[in-house]
Amino acid sequence: MPYEPPPELAALSLGQLAEQVAARKLPPIDQWSPQDVGDSEMRIAADGRWYHQGGEIRRPAMVRAFSSLLVRDESRQHWLVTPFQKLSIEVEDAAFIATDMQVNVDAQGRTVLAFRLNSDDLVICGPDHPLRVAGTAEVPAFYLAVRHGTEARLNRSTYGQLIDHALAHGESELAVESQGARFVLVPA
């Protein structure tokens, strides 16, 4: 069955976004405890491209499938987990890249920020998927928690959208809110 990517973020209402997020079927990797541990010989470059044994993986469906098996442990090591194997994977920066952002308002009048990832996943920012800022004030890096300890780095245009949204709300501190959670956009 051919893969059909979700519609563009701008075309989705908040209800449709929630439906798309709920419809994404992910394997139960948190329930698996494989005994066989090894190296996947894979790497995710800082620009979000995936490589295996030095060659780029060019099939988006393969990247999407592999990305659903990713976890990051407490030591920040990324792993591909299956019921039978746990394979290390080198990640240069973040496992995902956030490529678009949409601002919505929920039924309670709260702002909701939704992000599309390079894997076509949709992530709704909030207490379960917080934003984190690293780097320096001159060169900040913005990250969104995805799942199982993994993160998405916001690409330049997406963090530009985020900053524009923050500036449009004219607070004294550069910050945004999503699902009732507040995120300061200045590195600590």
Side-chain angles (χ1 to χ4, degrees), residues 152-168:
R153 182 169 181 166
L154 277 62
N155 68 8
R156 184 177 297 242
S157 65
T158 304
Y159 82 68
Q161 290 174 282
L162 183 68
I163 296 298
D164 287 346
H165 171 68
L167 292 173

Side-chain angles (χ1 to χ4, degrees), residues 3 5-6 24 48 50 60-61 63-68 70 95-99 116-123 146-147 152:
Y3 168 67
R24 175 80 156 104
W50 287 58
V63 169
R64 183 171 169 80
F66 286 136
S67 73
S68 70
L70 279 175
F96 302 94
I97 303 291
T99 60
R116 177 186 297 275
L117 308 183
N118 60 327
S119 59
D120 277 339
D121 285 294
L122 301 175
V123 179
V146 178
R147 60 181 169 262

Side-chain angles (χ1 to χ4, degrees), residues 77-152:
Q77 172 62 54
H78 288 77
W79 300 91
L80 286 171
V81 179
T82 72
F84 308 103
Q85 289 186 308
K86 180 177 174 181
L87 303 173
S88 64
I89 180 169
E90 178 188 345
V91 177
E92 291 179 357
D93 186 8
F96 302 94
I97 303 291
T99 60
D100 195 12
M101 182 187 98
Q102 180 186 18
V103 180
N104 285 291
V105 177
D106 68 12
Q108 293 81 33
R110 300 179 307 176
T111 300
V112 177
L113 303 177
F115 293 86
R116 177 186 297 275
L117 308 183
N118 60 327
S119 59
D120 277 339
D121 285 294
L122 301 175
V123 179
I124 297 174
C125 179
D128 295 334
H129 301 281
L131 281 170
R132 175 178 74 84
V133 183
T136 65
E138 293 80 29
V139 185
F142 300 89
Y143 296 89
L144 175 68
V146 178
R147 60 181 169 262
H148 305 296
T150 62
E151 293 181 310

